[in-house]
Amino acid sequence: MNASLVITLAQLQPCLRSEFIAHTSAGTLPLILDEAQELPRRGLPEQFRTPLSLILSGPEQVLLEAGTYRLEHSQLGHLEWYLWPIAPAFPARDEDAGRQRYQVNFS
């Protein structure tokens, strides 16, 4: 998949709980897609895509700075997404223990 193509929720749903490999200056880092959801359109004209929010998680020992990363996924191919670190889910969830969370938004 070309990094410039518009990604949809339908493309992401089969990828939930699957691994994305982030290429960083320190090497590769596995990230898991934990959540993918559409955001409210709030009057956005129909010709524009429905906004999306993704939550990925990776090992807590490595904290990626906010920035654009090249990602690889077995179904989606090569992607370039802007990720930023976010706080753990509240209330705390068992599956988040030992994980650093990241968010990606598309509008």
Side-chain angles (χ1 to χ4, degrees), residues 35 55 86-97 99-101:
E35 299 175 28
I55 304 294
I86 59 172
F90 187 81
R93 302 179 308 187
D94 290 341
E95 62 265 26
D96 290 332
R99 308 287 296 165
Q100 171 60 51
R101 293 164 37 101

Side-chain angles (χ1 to χ4, degrees), residues 19-87:
E19 185 175 81
F20 288 73
I21 301 298
H23 294 266
T24 75
S25 59
T28 59
L29 181 71
L31 301 174
I32 303 297
L33 179 60
D34 294 326
E35 299 175 28
Q37 64 180 338
E38 290 183 338
L39 299 174
R41 294 188 60 84
R42 300 186 186 188
L44 190 64
E46 275 304 311
Q47 67 263 32
F48 295 105
R49 68 175 297 150
T50 298
L52 297 173
S53 174
L54 312 180
I55 304 294
L56 297 105
S57 64
E60 70 178 351
Q61 299 84 356
V62 178
L63 176 63
L64 297 178
E65 293 183 16
T68 302
Y69 293 90
R70 187 169 63 94
L71 303 170
E72 291 180 28
H73 187 269
S74 60
Q75 292 176 305
L76 300 176
H78 299 279
L79 308 157
E80 286 191 20
W81 289 351
Y82 187 89
L83 296 102
W84 64 92
I86 59 172

